[in-house]
Amino acid sequence: MASNHVSAPAPADHESTPLLPTAQSHAGHATNHHVSEGESGRSGFHPTHFLTVLWRSSCTASMLVNVLWPVVVVAFALQFFPGLHLWKFAAAYVAVIPSANLLGFAGQEFARKMPKVAGILIETTFGSIVEIILFVVLIVKHESGHKEGNLVPIIQAAILGSILTNLLLCLGLCFFFGGLRQTTRKFHAIVSEVGTGLLLVAAFGLLIPSAFYSALKSAAVPDTAGLGVLHEKFTEGKLHQDVLQISHATSIALILAFVLYIWFQARSQHSIFDEVIEMDEHRDSDRHVDLEKPKFTMTETIVALVISLASVTLLLIFLVNGIEDVVESGVPDQFLGLILLPFVEKAAEHLTAIDEAWDGVINVALYHCLAPSIQTALFNAPLVVLVGWVLGKPMDLNFEIFMIGLLVLSILVVGNFLRDGESNWLEGALLVIVYVIIAIACWYYPNPDVATSNGIVNVPMTADTLDKLRELLNGHGV
């Protein structure tokens, strides 16, 4: 017996739905050649086509970055010469930009060939893979108990610097260049509600270990042999150990929050940013050009991923090996971690976001500013803490109070600018100015071995002074 029921349409969030809406969802006149954004219509590996697609990249700004590829060759060549430490660092620093650009582009191409859930996870992973590699290389290079090899302050500064660079520099430039082309840009309210909300939760999680330490550091006593004290069970070592354990537990909780965020974004009926992306797809002034661009085949995509991953990893190793020489040349630890390292590892992604804002795709541009910040706070930072835990290295979330203050204030400032759902070039310029002020302050901020706002300062004590202190304590029956 024939059924009178009409088959229901497939739900919008079906597993086979692409990560980004296809051209057919916005334009009925799309050609059959572009049935899927990720399909190239070819197979195998073709060197000439591979280089052509690599050169054209995802946007004009990314294409211009490709002129830096000769620097990659120079960076590798310099490793065979003795000395030249600052030159090696500078070459590797610049060479990371085109390598990271290729990695991001290849990851995007790969994600668009996958089902929706897999595509979201892949694009999220490759979006911050450079940062993850940098953090892991730094924690592996870290040497506990050695002043010269103590890279924890630089890692902590790089974590917060990555978030600040996205929120202030990248977002500010997006507002500025988008406002130059059109006086006022309107964006969806969900960007403000979801983005700043998740960042505040992440900032709260990152703040807890630092607040715990600040509240109790005055009550802790030095771990000095031969000194009996009333609070002998609550020493500086015990406080550091407690903070480390709190950091481990907090990191697990933050990663769980990130997994829930990704799961909700991928599996919910309406992905958090789906509506935002769909609104902007038809307004992209370069949409038709992007659809006509040649694309990588799956084989070419894998080759690009392998080349870019190998290049980025080696260049970051070269970069980290030169950090001590750069610090010895006069560059402060906090400036290196908060400004220089985040700037280079995010450069390619920031250029893409600015290009999108210029083309009028402001919601997607904001996504590329806020989403990496959320991933850094909820996943990348906790991940490096757990990696340090596995390697037996004391990496914690006990940030400088100065740095935490900068983070919280920056989130509040950005949230205030996003609240009205509009942006202009003046707001963008103000965000960049705030970032410049922070960079200036970091240049003059002392290294951790000189002064610290949230740590134990090692006060030098002579043997005579130590003996007198022991006699004084023993005389009082302590």
Side-chain angles (χ1 to χ4, degrees), residues 212-426:
F212 179 88
Y213 189 91
S214 297
L216 297 175
K217 68 177 181 179
S218 60
V221 295
D223 297 294
T224 305
L227 290 180
V229 291
L230 293 174
H231 302 84
E232 60 182 5
K233 291 185 179 180
F234 193 66
T235 61
E236 292 173 355
K238 177 67 165 58
L239 178 57
H240 278 295
Q241 188 63 31
D242 290 345
V243 170
L244 190 60
Q245 292 178 357
I246 292 174
S247 298
H248 293 161
T250 301
S251 298
I252 294 173
L254 289 176
I255 290 179
L256 176 61
F258 181 74
V259 171
L260 294 175
Y261 158 66
I262 292 295
W263 181 263
F264 180 73
Q265 183 181 358
R267 300 288 296 181
S268 65
Q269 185 173 1
H270 297 287
S271 174
I272 293 178
F273 294 104
D274 272 356
E275 183 179 355
V276 174
I277 294 174
E278 289 174 1
M279 284 178 59
D280 275 13
E281 283 296 314
H282 69 284
R283 295 192 302 187
D284 188 353
S285 59
D286 293 338
R287 176 68 176 170
H288 62 288
V289 177
D290 291 337
L291 288 173
E292 294 296 333
K293 281 183 178 179
K295 300 172 179 61
F296 282 146
T297 64
M298 179 59 79
T299 303
E300 291 168 345
T301 301
I302 294 175
V303 170
L305 287 174
V306 171
I307 292 174
S308 56
L309 271 174
S311 176
V312 164
T313 302
L314 291 174
L315 289 171
L316 289 177
I317 292 174
F318 301 155
L319 196 68
V320 171
N321 287 338
I323 283 180
E324 293 179 14
D325 299 296
V326 173
V327 173
E328 290 176 0
S329 70
V331 178
D333 281 354
Q334 301 299 331
F335 185 84
L336 179 65
L338 201 73
I339 305 298
L340 291 184
L341 293 183
F343 182 81
V344 69
E345 49 119 337
K346 295 287 187 182
E349 189 174 7
H350 289 174
L351 288 175
T352 301
I354 295 169
D355 183 82
E356 289 166 344
W358 177 259
D359 290 338
V361 195
I362 190 66
N363 288 307
V364 180
L366 294 184
Y367 172 81
H368 281 123
C369 294
L370 296 179
S373 300
I374 293 170
Q375 176 163 348
T376 297
L378 293 180
F379 182 76
N380 298 355
L383 179 64
V384 72
V385 172
L386 298 182
V387 170
W389 188 10
V390 172
L391 297 177
K393 300 188 177 184
M395 173 64 201
D396 57 33
L397 297 177
N398 182 23
F399 298 96
E400 292 281 316
I401 293 299
F402 172 72
M403 301 298 173
I404 286 291
L406 293 179
L407 174 63
V408 174
L409 290 175
S410 298
I411 293 175
L412 294 177
V413 168
V414 170
N416 184 65
F417 282 168
L418 294 178
R419 186 171 53 187
D420 61 355
E422 297 181 352
S423 67
N424 53 63
W425 66 265
L426 176 60

Side-chain angles (χ1 to χ4, degrees), residues 61-229:
S62 295
M63 182 176 68
L64 295 177
V65 168
N66 288 325
V67 301
L68 297 176
W69 272 105
V71 182
V72 177
V73 179
V74 173
F76 278 97
L78 285 176
Q79 302 304 314
F80 295 97
F81 294 90
L84 304 174
H85 300 297
L86 293 181
W87 283 104
K88 290 178 180 178
F89 179 88
Y93 186 86
V94 176
V96 168
I97 299 176
S99 300
N101 181 62
L102 174 59
L103 181 59
F105 176 60
Q108 184 183 59
E109 289 280 294
F110 189 50
R112 289 182 174 182
K113 299 178 187 297
M114 297 289 105
K116 181 179 180 181
V117 175
I120 290 175
L121 296 177
I122 290 170
E123 190 165 26
T124 300
T125 300
F126 282 106
S128 292
I129 193 68
V130 177
E131 184 172 273
I132 294 173
I133 294 174
L134 173 63
F135 290 166
V136 171
V137 171
L138 283 169
I139 193 61
V140 170
K141 180 76 173 177
H142 168 72
E143 296 178 9
S144 302
H146 295 78
K147 175 183 172 183
E148 294 79 9
N150 182 20
L151 298 179
V152 168
I154 293 179
I155 300 173
Q156 293 175 334
I159 290 170
L160 299 186
S162 176
I163 301 174
L164 294 178
T165 302
N166 283 318
L167 292 182
L168 298 177
L169 181 62
C170 183
L171 187 60
L173 291 176
C174 286
F175 282 177
F176 181 79
F177 286 102
L180 289 180
R181 201 168 189 181
Q182 182 177 327
T183 305
T184 302
R185 295 283 188 180
K186 295 182 182 292
F187 48 85
H188 202 281
I190 199 172
V191 175
S192 174
E193 296 172 1
V194 175
T196 56
L198 284 171
L199 284 173
L200 283 173
V201 170
F204 178 82
L206 296 177
L207 175 63
I208 293 301
S210 302
F212 179 88
Y213 189 91
S214 297
L216 297 175
K217 68 177 181 179
S218 60
V221 295
D223 297 294
T224 305
L227 290 180
V229 291

Side-chain angles (χ1 to χ4, degrees), residues 147 150 153 327 333-334 446-452 456-458:
K147 175 183 172 183
N150 182 20
V327 173
D333 281 354
Q334 301 299 331
N447 288 336
D449 59 314
V450 177
T452 177
I456 299 298
V457 181
N458 294 321

